[in-house]
Amino acid sequence: MTETPTVNIRPHLPMGELADHARGPALSQATASRARLTLSWEDGTLADFPLAWLRDHCACPECRHPLTRERLILPLEAPTEAPETRVVEGNLALVWADGHVSRFDAVWLHQRRPGQGREDAVPTRRPWARDYRPTRVDHADFVAGAEGERTWLTALLRDGLVLLENGPLADEEVSRLASRIGPLRATNFGARFDVKSKPNPNNAAYTAIGLALHTDLPNWRHPPDIQLLYCLENDAEGGESTFFDGFAAAEALRVESPEAFRRLAETPIDFRFQDENHDIVWRAPVIDLDEAGRVVEVRLNNWIRDTLRLPLEEIDAWYDAYRAFWTLAQDPENRLEFSLAPGEMVAFDNRRVMHGRNAFDPSTGRRHLQGTYLDLDMCESRLRVLARRA
Ligand SMILES: [Zn+2]
């Protein structure tokens, strides 16, 4: 005679939620008072939920649209009486005083216990350590399906930089790859741009000078988030790509020179691009902090820094702080430098990682990169969708 294993028969209730809530503990007990419901789960977890919260989160077709999954009710009236409360097959059933019935999935509730943070497939950002080496993903794995793309997105969102390799030498491949994730973010330079040089250049756009580390378009209130650069040709001598983690640089400045850090974080300055058809200006600090004092953005681009408009007594101190940050950001020990090979693509967070390139000799060969931008929201969204399917 064999023993029958315990099977969790808890049915999975629809909650208007696409992220997984199938696996987890069933409810064992529910007790309502006038303002709260106390729940206990099979794993020993206990939690209180305000009745107003439960009424607001009812997922029945009257309260939540069955197709759009969006909320249809406004929480204008607080429940005044405790509902009739039952645990049915491990899930929660409530009958409110007006007869309305709400059913809640046990695991969905477990994930949303008051005080619990949001579970998210998007990783937290991690500044580069001294031995940081970029994650590399094969083009074939990226386009084959979920796993390669997930690895690529996770590294990009965590480290602010990732490499793709062994791709085809095909015009517009960068646009095809970007479009898997979201719409291309257009700027005054278009949705897709060429970084190209020719032997014997006859135009300034085809110069071969080195480009110091910078972030793109800090003169926009919302600079492009993610930049993709796909290499189609690169046989000129020199022209190595350089990268520096702006978050790591800002943190180093905070330690080495707190006064310089504070000044760059607290002093908005003007950035500006102007040509015959455009005049795009934004005023923002070089280092942007959130309310908790964490670095959330770096704007560094010496070419399009506009007139420094500051009170007389602040000007010299600002230049001192800027020099300190600039010097730190040139530190070769912490700079990433490599040559992109044809068929390779680098993607990086333009509001975090500074990029540049070494000078090259255009008489020794061609160098052609194609680039575009993506919104961070689309990258995070794509990663959550892929995690949902995994
Ligand atoms: Zn309802």
Side-chain angles (χ1 to χ4, degrees):
M1 199 175 145
T2 55
E3 203 174 310
T4 313
T6 314
V7 179
N8 184 359
I9 53 145
R10 184 187 70 87
H12 175 202
L13 296 185
M15 295 301 295
E17 169 61 58
L18 292 172
D20 176 63
H21 55 93
R23 285 157 294 183
L27 275 175
S28 46
Q29 215 187 339
T31 324
S33 69
R34 265 198 52 174
R36 291 188 170 180
L37 196 79
T38 302
L39 298 181
S40 49
W41 284 264
E42 279 177 337
D43 68 349
T45 319
L46 264 175
D48 284 346
F49 288 78
L51 294 183
W53 188 97
L54 289 161
R55 184 63 193 83
D56 184 38
H57 290 79
C58 180
C60 84
E62 278 173 50
C63 297
R64 202 162 263 273
H65 195 285
L67 297 177
T68 69
R69 302 176 192 88
E70 292 167 325
R71 183 179 283 106
L72 298 173
I73 50 161
L74 267 168
L76 295 182
E77 283 173 35
T80 50
E81 279 177 53
E84 192 187 307
T85 301
R86 281 190 305 147
V87 173
V88 180
E89 293 178 302
N91 291 314
L92 179 66
L94 302 177
V95 184
W96 301 93
D98 62 359
H100 192 88
V101 177
S102 302
R103 290 188 175 83
F104 291 91
D105 184 88
V107 177
W108 186 93
L109 282 171
H110 190 264
Q111 292 167 340
R112 287 165 180 75
R113 300 179 324 273
Q116 280 292 110
R118 180 190 159 80
E119 278 179 37
D120 201 351
V122 174
T124 46
R125 293 163 164 197
R126 195 168 69 191
W128 297 356
R130 215 158 243 274
D131 58 351
Y132 166 71
R133 291 289 171 272
T135 300
R136 292 177 163 270
V137 174
D138 206 84
H139 178 277
D141 293 335
F142 184 93
V143 298
E147 197 53 43
E149 206 176 323
R150 269 179 80 190
T151 305
W152 186 88
L153 282 163
T154 302
L156 173 63
L157 298 173
R158 182 191 60 215
D159 304 330
L161 189 143
V162 66
L163 286 164
L164 193 80
E165 57 190 2
N166 302 317
L169 303 185
D171 186 49
E172 292 293 347
E173 183 61 13
V174 70
S175 307
R176 281 187 288 277
L177 295 175
S179 300
R180 295 173 66 94
I181 291 163
L184 312 191
R185 157 81 191 273
T187 74
N188 53 307
F189 297 106
R192 228 265 299 121
F193 52 89
D194 284 280
V195 185
K196 202 170 188 176
S197 68
K198 294 173 179 174
N200 312 313
N202 57 358
N203 181 299
Y206 302 136
T207 64
I209 58 167
L211 301 177
L213 287 164
H214 64 283
T215 60
D216 279 5
L217 307 183
N219 58 314
W220 286 57
R221 81 188 56 216
H222 188 135
D225 292 328
I226 302 296
Q227 179 166 177
L228 310 181
L229 281 174
Y230 195 101
C231 179
L232 291 172
E233 289 178 290
N234 195 6
D235 33 289
E237 271 170 33
E240 297 84 3
S241 302
T242 54
F243 297 93
F244 203 110
D245 182 5
F247 285 9
E251 289 307 333
L253 185 69
R254 196 200 302 255
V255 171
E256 279 185 25
S257 179
E259 164 59 23
F261 177 84
R262 195 187 56 75
R263 194 161 289 275
L264 293 184
E266 291 177 1
T267 314
I269 60 162
D270 291 318
F271 296 95
R272 182 179 186 199
F273 172 86
Q274 51 178 330
D275 65 9
E276 283 66 32
N277 302 313
H278 304 95
D279 194 343
I280 310 167
V281 183
W282 187 241
R283 189 169 172 86
V286 169
I287 297 172
D288 192 24
L289 307 179
D290 68 8
E291 283 159 14
R294 287 175 295 232
V295 179
V296 288
E297 175 159 15
V298 168
R299 291 181 192 244
L300 197 79
N301 187 319
N302 203 48
W303 304 291
I304 59 171
R305 211 160 41 72
D306 197 22
T307 303
L308 187 68
R309 294 180 184 82
L310 291 178
L312 174 64
E313 61 278 12
E314 290 182 27
I315 292 177
D316 283 322
W318 187 87
Y319 280 114
D320 287 345
Y322 188 61
R323 274 183 215 109
F325 190 49
W326 188 264
T327 306
L328 246 169
Q330 309 306 311
D331 174 13
E333 287 281 303
N334 289 311
R335 189 178 61 193
L336 208 59
E337 180 176 316
F338 53 84
S339 271
L340 273 177
E344 281 184 348
M345 179 179 80
V346 61
F348 54 94
D349 184 340
N350 176 60
R351 299 175 75 180
R352 165 182 172 179
V353 173
M354 302 174 274
H355 65 288
R357 72 148 194 249
N358 294 340
F360 61 96
D361 181 353
S363 68
T364 56
R366 291 170 172 277
R367 188 177 188 273
H368 182 196
L369 310 181
Q370 287 187 324
T372 188
Y373 301 114
L374 278 171
D375 286 320
L376 191 57
D377 300 276
M378 288 292 99
C379 296
E380 293 186 349
S381 163
R382 179 75 179 152
L383 181 56
R384 290 192 190 105
V385 170
L386 293 170
R388 190 199 286 162
R389 289 180 197 156

